[in-house]
Amino acid sequence: MSSTDGTAPPDRPADGKKLELGPVGHLGDRLFSGMAHGSGGLVILIVAFVGIFLLALAIPSLARNESSFLFSRVWEPGASPPRFGIAALFYTTLISSIIAMVIAVPIAVGVALFTTYYAPKRLAAPVAHAIDLLAAVPSIIYGLWGILFFAPILRPVINGIGSALGWIPIFEKPPTADVGVVFTASVVLAIMILPVVTAISREIFAQTPIAHREGALALGATRWEMIRTAVLPYGRSGVVSASMLGLGRALGETVAVLIILSVPNANDPWNSSIFAGGETFASKIANNAAEFDSPEKTGAYIAAGLVLFVVTFLVNSAARLIVARSAPGGKRPRKIRRIGDKAQTEGAAL
Amino acid sequence: MAKRIEVSGLNVYYGDFKAVEDVSMTIEPRSVTAFIGPSGCGKSTYLRTLNRMHEVLPGARVEGKVLLDQQDLYASGVDPVAVRRVVGMVFQRPNPFPTMTIFDNVASGLKLNGVKDRKKLTEVVEKSLVGANLWNEVKDRLDKPGASLSGGQQQRLCIARAIAVEPEVILMDEPCSALDPISTLAIEDLIEKLKDRFTVVIVTHNMQQAARVSDQTGFFNLAATGKPGRLIEMGATKQIFSNPTEKATEDYITGRFG
């Protein structure tokens, strides 16, 4: 506006004077950039060191191991020569975590939808907070609560499923009245991973663009139909990655599982039923921490830890990959080609 | 198909805030009616009351009557979901469902209505895409994602999706404001064609557009910020643009404000 009266605005230099543009990059920028790079590098370095530590200590024991490390169920690292394999640990770890996920994810999705699209505001916030609070409970408390209070309550459920589906090996009826079984641990794990899965799902559902939701509503969709056509497709990748993060947490959970799971008698035959006791990677290592008296024995447990490390690493990477590959809405940016694009030939599209 | 809309004494509130005050009008079947007016004058808000989409926002409510061929959309016992099946809507930004193919986008409304027969769906999808002037551009790639189309094509896809359920009325909330001039022209041509089958109501910021496409124009304005929007004048588009009765309308269409 002021330029219309013919005089130059005061902040513009007079004719002929060179503009002072200053050097590239201010001190603050460089400092912050250095710190950001440094922290990023440090994190990668720590992960690398953990991996190297595990490998270095595990390799000597693995070299002397007389059993198949991956496929044997024997665990006698103290024998001479040592014999140990992770098959049983791997099975129990995986099945307990997967059952936890199967229980937790539908509940988490339901709670997330409830708090974002169904509950009145004054109810949504307290429910969301209550779920978040579950994350603040220490895992030792979950363990104690699980074995002392929750396990006896679950007993009739276990008996019921065992009677109905007992002919399937993994549901085989419990041989003893023991309550510290894999299934109990799974249910407690499900409660433990519920907050993270719920929080991420809630976040992603709430982000569903209003344009998509209104698009569905304008077609005469009911609330549930709107959720089915707009919210769930948009949130699918987010829910998958949330489940993977939950799975990662369940795989590595130690104290609660350690307290709940009863260790099977060494002489009993191995039982694949989820209504029997067992040991996961983490509970096995924690249970036997007192036994780390020779480097060779320690190495066997560290080798088991290494497998857990790799598995959780893979699960988390898979979660990240899914998030990166399919941005919310299932859109795969790299695959989208505009039909009008001149650069695109018919062949390239196929 | 295509019904008369009669609105009388309509007030729209968001909570305690009165957004639109005392609007009465009649919209003839098989005509195009345009609403113009400055930003914030309540024309979009008012448009959304015609299919009860404003209720998406908590605290929104109306007073007054909206009759669709004598049937009150706000009578007790009328389900907003049912209203929206009869009064369709096209939005400012094209909003095809991103995970669905072009075919599924058009079929989505029918599927919500429980139509499963593939033959029937294929039939309606083709008819709707033809009706939206999009068939020739997409007929070979119906299985491609709707998001792979250009902005203008996406908007016509959304129109195809809206007409697939055979509504009586189609509401358009600034349907061209996110589009380039060529795509805008395509939509305007389409609006002309839609008029044969539907009652069309369009909100636009573009006065030339209102002049080009509509039979009837309503001018909305508000006395001051924070005051409710009102319908200042409504009449045949020719008359509104050549010989408006109200001073405010004349000032607006001649570009003296707004």
Side-chain angles (χ1 to χ4, degrees), chain A residues 121 210-212 214-222 225 228-230 233 236 329-331 336-339 344 346, chain B residues 48 53 56 81 84-85 87-89 91 95-100 102 108-109 112 141 147-150 154 161-162:
Chain A
K121 265 208 181 100
I210 187 142
H212 298 172
E214 289 192 335
L217 289 174
L219 289 172
T222 61
E225 288 166 339
R228 239 179 35 205
T229 29
R236 194 173 44 200
K331 248 199 223 169
I336 284 192
R337 294 189 177 86
R338 301 213 172 271
I339 283 171
Q344 181 208 334
E346 198 58 43
Chain B
R48 293 163 73 94
M53 274 302 285
V56 170
V81 169
R84 293 176 199 140
R85 293 198 175 177
V87 184
M89 189 158 197
F91 298 84
N95 60 349
F97 299 123
T99 47
M100 292 186 194
I102 292 170
S108 55
L112 288 177
R141 40 188 108 223
S148 65
L149 299 170
S150 75
Q154 287 188 24
R161 182 175 72 184

Side-chain angles (χ1 to χ4, degrees), chain A residues 112-166:
Chain A
L113 285 176
F114 175 75
T115 51
T116 41
Y117 292 108
Y118 283 94
K121 265 208 181 100
R122 59 179 190 288
L123 193 62
V127 170
H129 282 305
I131 298 278
D132 286 344
L133 266 182
L134 287 178
V137 177
S139 51
I140 182 84
I141 304 295
Y142 275 115
L144 290 173
W145 175 79
I147 193 69
L148 296 177
F149 176 79
F150 197 52
I153 294 177
L154 267 186
R155 193 72 223 169
V157 179
I158 291 174
N159 285 335
I161 303 177
S163 310
L165 299 170

Side-chain angles (χ1 to χ4, degrees), chain B residues 5-206:
Chain B
I5 304 169
E6 286 166 283
V7 180
S8 54
L10 193 82
N11 297 319
V12 188
Y13 297 86
Y14 288 121
D16 293 331
F17 174 66
K18 196 184 216 180
V20 177
E21 185 174 61
D22 194 25
V23 175
S24 301
M25 67 170 62
T26 303
I27 295 170
E28 295 299 327
R30 290 193 194 78
S31 70
V32 178
T33 301
F35 297 150
I36 57 172
S39 298
C41 68
K43 56 193 189 301
S44 288
T45 300
Y46 171 70
L47 184 79
R48 293 163 73 94
T49 62
L50 299 182
N51 70 343
R52 299 184 66 168
M53 274 302 285
H54 69 292
E55 290 172 19
V56 170
L57 292 173
R61 66 196 164 84
V62 303
E63 286 165 358
K65 272 195 171 137
V66 179
L67 302 181
L68 190 66
D69 269 8
Q70 308 307 319
Q71 225 195 336
D72 190 353
L73 300 186
Y74 287 94
S76 64
V78 172
D79 183 357
V81 169
V83 171
R84 293 176 199 140
R85 293 198 175 177
V86 185
V87 184
M89 189 158 197
V90 175
F91 298 84
Q92 191 169 352
R93 300 194 67 84
N95 60 349
F97 299 123
T99 47
M100 292 186 194
T101 63
I102 292 170
F103 184 96
D104 287 340
N105 258 290
V106 181
S108 55
L110 290 170
K111 286 185 181 165
L112 288 177
N113 283 322
V115 179
K116 289 208 179 71
D117 178 24
R118 189 77 193 172
K119 200 167 146 254
K120 165 92 176 148
L121 286 176
T122 313
E123 224 168 76
V124 174
V125 166
E126 174 169 354
K127 189 176 154 211
S128 307
L129 284 169
V130 169
N133 290 347
L134 190 60
W135 176 250
N136 287 330
E137 289 156 70
V138 301
K139 63 178 178 223
D140 300 325
R141 40 188 108 223
L142 293 174
D143 57 341
K144 293 278 189 308
S148 65
L149 299 170
S150 75
Q153 289 172 324
Q154 287 188 24
Q155 192 62 301
R156 276 178 282 150
L157 178 64
C158 292
I159 293 174
R161 182 175 72 184
I163 61 179
V165 292
E166 305 267 306
E168 308 285 348
V169 180
I170 297 177
L171 308 176
M172 297 187 174
D173 189 358
E174 299 183 34
C176 302
S177 63
L179 304 181
D180 63 83
I182 308 261
S183 307
T184 300
L185 195 65
I187 303 278
E188 287 181 8
D189 288 345
L190 176 56
I191 292 172
E192 189 63 32
K193 180 171 147 188
L194 290 176
K195 184 168 96 163
D196 298 340
R197 290 163 63 201
F198 307 99
T199 306
V200 180
V201 186
I202 174 173
V203 163
T204 176
H205 261 126
N206 179 336

Side-chain angles (χ1 to χ4, degrees), chain A residues 80-340:
Chain A
S80 174
R83 296 186 301 137
F84 56 91
I86 54 157
L89 302 177
F90 191 87
Y91 173 81
T92 307
T93 305
L94 213 64
I95 195 111
S96 62
S97 300
I98 287 174
I99 294 170
M101 210 170 73
V102 167
I103 298 171
V105 170
I107 298 175
V109 168
V111 171
L113 285 176
F114 175 75
T115 51
T116 41
Y117 292 108
Y118 283 94
K121 265 208 181 100
R122 59 179 190 288
L123 193 62
V127 170
H129 282 305
I131 298 278
D132 286 344
L133 266 182
L134 287 178
V137 177
S139 51
I140 182 84
I141 304 295
Y142 275 115
L144 290 173
W145 175 79
I147 193 69
L148 296 177
F149 176 79
F150 197 52
I153 294 177
L154 267 186
R155 193 72 223 169
V157 179
I158 291 174
N159 285 335
I161 303 177
S163 310
L165 299 170
W167 47 275
I168 308 170
I170 72 161
F171 295 123
E172 197 182 306
K173 223 175 160 187
T176 60
D178 188 7
V179 290
V181 299
V182 173
F183 183 72
T184 310
S186 296
V187 178
V188 173
L189 281 174
I191 300 169
M192 294 177 75
I193 65 174
L194 197 58
V196 62
V197 185
T198 309
I200 297 176
S201 305
R202 195 174 62 213
E203 209 58 30
I204 198 101
F205 290 155
Q207 279 173 18
T208 310
I210 187 142
H212 298 172
R213 288 188 265 141
E214 289 192 335
L217 289 174
L219 289 172
T222 61
R223 193 178 311 207
W224 166 237
E225 288 166 339
M226 180 272 283
I227 286 171
R228 239 179 35 205
T229 29
V231 177
L232 289 181
Y234 179 85
R236 194 173 44 200
S237 66
V239 172
V240 170
S241 61
S243 313
M244 298 292 242
L245 289 177
L247 182 64
R249 164 117 204 251
L251 288 170
E253 175 51 42
T254 310
V255 174
V257 176
L258 174 73
I259 293 183
I260 293 169
L261 274 187
S262 60
V263 179
N265 198 317
N267 303 321
D268 287 349
W270 185 71
N271 194 335
S272 70
S273 172
I274 59 169
F275 301 136
E279 281 179 300
T280 66
F281 284 117
S283 76
K284 179 90 182 172
I285 296 168
N287 250 333
N288 297 286
E291 265 188 56
F292 294 177
D293 43 19
S294 74
E296 208 170 79
K297 251 160 107 178
T298 312
Y301 290 100
I302 288 188
L306 181 65
V307 176
L308 177 62
F309 178 75
V310 171
V311 170
T312 41
F313 193 82
L314 288 179
V315 167
N316 278 303
S317 310
R320 306 266 166 229
L321 205 70
I322 290 167
V323 176
R325 267 185 55 121
S326 51
K331 248 199 223 169
R332 287 167 190 80
R334 274 172 297 173
K335 283 191 189 162
I336 284 192
R337 294 189 177 86
R338 301 213 172 271
I339 283 171

